[in-house]
């Protein structure tokens, strides 16, 4: 599990690092859904990837499926649009949790 999370974090960090001058710190423990859906698209993707790794069960295969990731990001954004004051972590657990 740690290896999978590390890979997801590295991929997410790489996509954020590719945006010099747009460096952001996103505190997921305090982020509300409304704030999440207002983030730049690249940041939403990076956060979704991180959440997927964080919420993945240790026994699940270490695979990144970009098509599934896109669907998860869309579902999470839609759910957050309906629940703007909900914590992003709670929303992610409801949508992406296993």
């Amino acid at each position: 599990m740690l290896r999978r999370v590390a890979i997801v974090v590295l991929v997410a960090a790489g996509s954020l690092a590719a945006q010099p001058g747009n460096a952001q710190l996103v505190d997921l423990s305090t982020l509300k859904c409304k704030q999440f859906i207002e983030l730049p698209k690249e940041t939403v993707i990076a956060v979704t990837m991180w959440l997927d790794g964080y919420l993945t069960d240790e026994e699940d295969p270490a695979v990144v499926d970009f098509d599934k990731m896109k669907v998860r990001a869309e579902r999470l954004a839609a759910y957050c649009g309906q629940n703007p004051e909900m914590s992003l972590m709670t929303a992610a657990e409801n949508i992406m949790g296993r």
Side-chain angles (χ1 to χ4, degrees):
M1 166 94 173
L2 281 176
R3 189 177 88 179
R4 185 172 318 124
V5 171
I7 290 170
V8 170
V9 169
L10 287 174
V11 170
S15 69
L16 290 175
Q19 305 279 326
N22 288 341
Q24 285 184 292
L25 176 64
V26 180
D27 184 352
L28 299 182
S29 69
T30 61
L31 195 69
K32 299 287 186 190
C33 274
K34 181 179 188 313
Q35 296 165 310
F36 172 70
I37 59 177
E38 292 173 348
L39 290 171
K41 181 180 177 182
E42 295 81 16
T43 305
V44 168
I45 292 168
V47 169
T48 304
M49 288 189 72
W50 185 90
L51 287 167
D52 189 61
Y54 181 77
L55 296 170
T56 297
D57 191 69
E58 196 169 313
E59 287 81 32
D60 287 348
V63 175
V64 177
D65 183 331
F66 291 100
D67 291 334
K68 284 184 182 179
M69 190 67 54
K70 180 180 178 194
V71 170
R72 287 183 183 135
E74 290 169 352
R75 286 181 58 214
L76 183 58
Y79 187 82
C80 279
Q82 296 171 350
N83 302 281
E85 294 306 314
M86 182 179 284
S87 155
L88 176 64
M89 292 302 291
T90 300
E93 289 171 0
N94 290 342
I95 294 299
M96 302 168 74
R98 305 308 181 255

